[in-house]
Amino acid sequence: VNCHEWQENMHQALSRHIQSFAVTDAVFKLRCSTGIQIKSYYIGSGNVVEGTLGSAEVELPSVSSSSTIAVELDHRVGGLPKNKKFAFLQSALLYTTRGGQRRVRVSTLAIRTTSSVSEVFKSADCAATLTLLMRESVDRLRKPTPGAPIEEREHARQKVQESVFHKCVLTLGNYREHTAAMNAPASQLVIPDRLSLLAMHCMSMMKSQMLRPASAHRMGESALPAIMPSGDDRAFFIWHAAQCHPAVAYLLVHPTIIPVTPDGNDGVGVWNSAQGPDESLGFVRMRSPQDASMASLKVDGLYFIDNGFDIRFVVQKGAADSFRQDWSSVVATHPHLASILWQFRAYCSAQRGEESDIRPTVAALKHVILQEGRHGKPEIDMLNLMTDDATGGNKNSVDFMANLHRSIRERLDAKK
């Protein structure tokens, strides 16, 4: 490990925890108006306990600005009152400040009710839906005890993988059955606009380190095969998936791949100031993301790949030798690459120009250099990141969509 390459990342990781605002010894409670109830809490850390008034509450060791709690609601028997246009949710967070003061913060949310299924899909929050689906999967994976046999844990993984696909079929099937999409041609897969990423998210999550089966890979001249994903890799992903922010839920399972040119003459990597008096507001121009497929990668190409945990600068096998040096030397001769890296790290930034704590980890840079005739860990990791391809024993994106469409049609035909 080159200590100079990781010095900045170590400094940012330490500063992030030291400077972040956090409170301790917190208790979270949610109340609902008539007609709805809490079905489940999905939390990354903490305990769900029975409250003093009979309803569940969440005990949390600490809470920061990036903490999120997922709650699944359900209808009570009898449903919502017909004369009520709003349903109300009220949350209370009791916590201890750094100064030792005990405080409570109360928030109330009014949600408009409707009897139209199409209105529900039109108002759906895609990021929240994807996050809830991921956290529910993590909760089901954690059902077997830590000391459970391997067969039991493998069975749980397979069941969760199947349930992800089943939920996708149910959601899109209900949209097809109860909205104007029922008039679309039977040969067409119809996906609601507000949930346009649902199918791709489900496919990518089934191929993620959390759900894909472990397999043996030979690396280079090593006589012993390596198991990928390893137990540590799977546990690391599950830990962060259990508490991921909605802004990065999709990114954790489906990477963003941005191609770059060697010289930067196409305007990529150039700072574009925003219109207005404050010229410091703006963005770095980048190319549009491309498909996460090996077929879309050029043999001599250069790519930034962001998977939510780290950012990889990938140098393909036929790329120029000047990009195979250490990162500091590459940036010295190609400064536009440093600007693109800054823009990646500013993704979902809570404060202008600073690393965001919405990401699960500090976005470290990995300089990946692929070599002709080599089949090591960098090459295997690249294959696993290509979620649009057939990886981890799962279908490619085209076959997955075809299978999804067929499953939806079979479900609807069975109801006739």
Side-chain angles (χ1 to χ4, degrees):
V1 177
N2 190 331
C3 61
H4 296 291
E5 293 183 0
W6 289 91
Q7 182 177 359
E8 180 185 359
N9 296 324
M10 179 64 73
H11 179 268
Q12 290 181 358
L14 292 175
S15 301
R16 172 178 178 175
H17 290 285
I18 294 174
Q19 299 176 2
S20 63
F21 176 79
V23 296
T24 58
D25 194 18
V27 178
F28 175 85
K29 192 175 184 66
L30 183 68
R31 298 193 304 168
C32 308
S33 59
T34 305
I36 54 177
Q37 61 184 352
I38 298 171
K39 182 178 179 180
S40 300
Y41 283 104
Y42 300 113
I43 56 176
S45 59
N47 298 305
V48 180
V49 298
E50 198 66 25
T52 56
L53 299 178
S55 59
E57 56 188 34
V58 182
E59 294 181 346
L60 302 165
S62 65
V63 176
S64 67
S65 57
S66 60
S67 299
T68 57
I69 299 175
V71 183
E72 185 177 2
L73 303 177
D74 196 8
H75 287 279
R76 290 184 181 272
V77 177
L80 295 167
K82 295 183 179 180
N83 59 340
K84 300 294 184 181
K85 295 183 179 181
F86 291 92
F88 295 92
L89 303 174
Q90 187 176 73
S91 66
L93 180 66
L94 178 66
Y95 59 91
T96 302
T97 66
R98 289 183 175 180
Q101 296 178 332
R102 199 69 172 157
R103 295 181 179 178
V104 62
R105 174 170 293 185
V106 179
S107 303
T108 304
L109 176 65
I111 305 176
R112 184 177 293 276
T113 62
T114 180
S115 58
S116 171
V117 177
S118 60
E119 289 298 322
V120 175
F121 280 99
K122 288 179 181 179
S123 59
D125 188 315
C126 186
T129 303
L130 304 185
T131 305
L132 184 64
L133 181 61
M134 181 178 292
R135 292 196 177 192
E136 183 184 6
S137 300
V138 171
D139 185 71
R140 296 189 62 181
L141 275 178
R142 288 176 169 177
K143 293 299 183 183
T145 58
I150 297 179
E151 294 78 9
E152 182 179 344
R153 285 178 285 172
E154 178 64 16
H155 180 71
R157 182 198 63 79
Q158 294 176 358
K159 286 296 183 182
V160 173
Q161 197 175 46
E162 293 172 0
S163 69
V164 170
F165 181 78
H166 181 64
K167 285 219 166 188
C168 186
V169 172
L170 287 180
T171 303
L172 299 183
N174 288 331
Y175 177 72
R176 181 77 181 233
E177 182 179 6
H178 300 291
T179 67
M182 67 177 67
N183 300 320
S187 59
Q188 181 180 353
L189 176 62
V190 184
I191 298 178
D193 293 337
R194 298 285 294 184
L195 297 177
S196 58
L197 296 178
L198 176 63
M200 290 297 295
H201 178 85
C202 291
M203 181 197 70
S204 301
M205 189 163 66
M206 292 168 65
K207 299 178 181 180
S208 67
Q209 292 182 334
M210 177 173 67
L211 293 180
R212 76 168 178 261
S215 57
H217 298 269
R218 290 197 176 274
M219 298 186 183
E221 299 178 355
S222 175
L224 297 177
I227 304 299
M228 298 179 67
S230 65
D232 290 341
D233 291 338
R234 197 185 297 277
F236 178 81
F237 189 97
I238 291 175
W239 165 256
H240 288 294
Q243 51 195 348
C244 72
H245 194 280
V248 293
Y250 184 72
L251 184 61
L252 293 185
V253 297
H254 191 281
T256 298
I257 303 178
I258 302 293
V260 295
T261 54
D263 49 20
N265 292 333
D266 55 355
V268 174
V270 177
W271 176 262
N272 290 263
S273 300
Q275 297 181 356
D278 191 351
E279 296 182 355
S280 63
L281 295 175
F283 62 94
V284 174
R285 180 175 297 173
M286 301 169 63
R287 283 187 173 182
S288 300
Q290 62 183 47
D291 297 337
S293 172
M294 292 299 296
S296 63
L297 304 183
K298 297 181 179 179
V299 179
D300 59 347
L302 303 171
Y303 302 91
F304 277 103
I305 301 180
D306 185 2
N307 67 352
F309 296 107
D310 53 57
I311 300 170
R312 307 180 185 207
F313 178 65
V314 179
V315 181
Q316 284 284 75
K317 300 174 182 179
D321 293 338
S322 59
F323 296 98
R324 301 179 181 274
Q325 305 174 19
D326 60 271
W327 176 248
S328 58
S329 300
V330 172
V331 172
T333 54
H334 305 86
H336 69 290
L337 298 179
S339 300
I340 297 175
L341 176 61
W342 176 90
Q343 183 64 71
F344 266 112
R345 286 177 169 169
Y347 173 72
C348 290
S349 180
Q351 297 183 14
R352 181 177 54 190
E354 296 185 7
E355 179 71 23
S356 170
D357 59 358
I358 292 177
R359 281 181 176 270
T361 61
V362 174
L365 175 71
K366 291 185 177 180
H367 192 179
V368 181
I369 302 175
L370 304 181
Q371 300 179 10
E372 190 69 38
R374 181 180 175 183
H375 187 68
K377 192 174 187 303
E379 287 76 12
I380 296 176
D381 286 342
M382 278 289 294
L383 292 176
N384 290 330
L385 284 173
M386 300 297 109
T387 53
D388 290 354
D389 294 335
T391 60
N394 293 279
K395 299 178 175 62
N396 60 33
S397 58
V398 176
D399 292 339
F400 177 86
M401 291 298 180
N403 185 37
L404 177 64
H405 185 208
R406 182 170 56 254
S407 299
I408 293 174
R409 291 183 60 182
E410 291 175 354
R411 179 177 181 272
L412 297 178
D413 291 340
K415 286 188 173 185
K416 294 180 179 179

